[in-house]
Amino acid sequence: MGLSVTISAADARDAEHILKLQYLCYQSEAELYGDWSIEPLTQSLDALRAELAEGHGLVARLGDEVVASVRGRLDEDGTVRIAKLIVHPRMRRHGLGGRLLDGIERHFAAAGAGATTPAKRFQLFTGHRSEGNLRLYRSKGYEQVGTRELGPKVTLVTLEKAA
């Protein structure tokens, strides 16, 4: 009998598991850009816990193991900033990233999500060479709205869609 993946809200007890998974998942991004100082690889456990407390996170579990995660936060202008969508390397290409993205959007689009300002748009970013990420986001209706150079090796692509 196989295990199925379940998606649920993340809480402070998940923070350490998310941080370990984040470190594993961003190794390929660091290698792609030749930069191991990217924020997901240097983020502290306290900073991650603060992100979860300030916004909303989801985790995907295979049995008891956290195998994917995403975080989001609603700004006062109605922009939901989605960040750190991660999927364990062995679980990629099975639709988990898309399911998490749909789930975080549903959370913030739902009436009564605890927000005083309704979500007007969803926004996220990824590196310019991260073709898999760009392909996923575009398939979910996100369009490029800007770029920002972080240095000689990395340009961030900002994508958005209406809520």
Side-chain angles (χ1 to χ4, degrees):
M1 178 180 194
L3 295 172
S4 62
V5 174
T6 59
I7 295 176
S8 60
D11 63 33
R13 293 172 300 200
D14 295 314
E16 191 171 336
H17 299 285
I18 294 169
L19 188 63
K20 287 177 182 176
L21 180 63
Q22 177 176 300
Y23 188 81
L24 173 67
C25 291
Y26 275 92
Q27 293 297 312
S28 57
E29 292 292 300
E31 187 173 341
L32 181 62
Y33 295 99
D35 184 356
W36 278 262
S37 67
I38 58 177
E39 190 268 344
L41 295 180
T42 61
Q43 185 175 32
S44 70
L45 184 56
D46 287 341
L48 191 148
R49 284 185 177 129
E51 280 184 5
L52 289 173
E54 293 168 2
H56 184 72
L58 295 175
V59 291
R61 289 183 172 81
L62 182 62
D64 292 332
E65 180 186 6
V66 174
V67 294
S69 181
V70 67
R71 302 191 283 280
R73 184 174 51 87
L74 180 65
D75 286 353
E76 55 282 342
D77 69 352
T79 300
V80 177
R81 306 216 186 261
I82 299 172
K84 297 183 180 95
L85 175 59
I86 54 174
V87 177
H88 192 290
R90 76 172 191 276
M91 299 295 293
R92 291 180 182 157
R93 313 237 11 110
H94 294 284
L96 275 179
R99 286 176 59 195
L100 282 170
L101 194 54
D102 292 344
I104 201 81
E105 289 174 2
R106 271 194 311 274
H107 170 79
F108 284 103
T116 56
T117 304
K120 296 177 184 172
R121 74 191 67 75
F122 300 106
Q123 186 180 82
L124 44 76
F125 62 86
T126 192
H128 69 290
R129 291 187 207 144
S130 302
E131 291 299 325
N133 297 349
L134 290 165
R135 193 170 33 257
L136 170 63
Y137 301 148
R138 289 180 178 132
S139 77
K140 293 293 185 177
Y142 286 81
E143 296 180 1
Q144 182 174 326
V145 295
T147 60
R148 181 171 58 117
E149 283 191 34
L150 292 184
K153 297 178 182 176
V154 182
T155 298
L156 285 182
V157 179
T158 301
L159 300 105
E160 238 179 48
K161 78 175 187 180

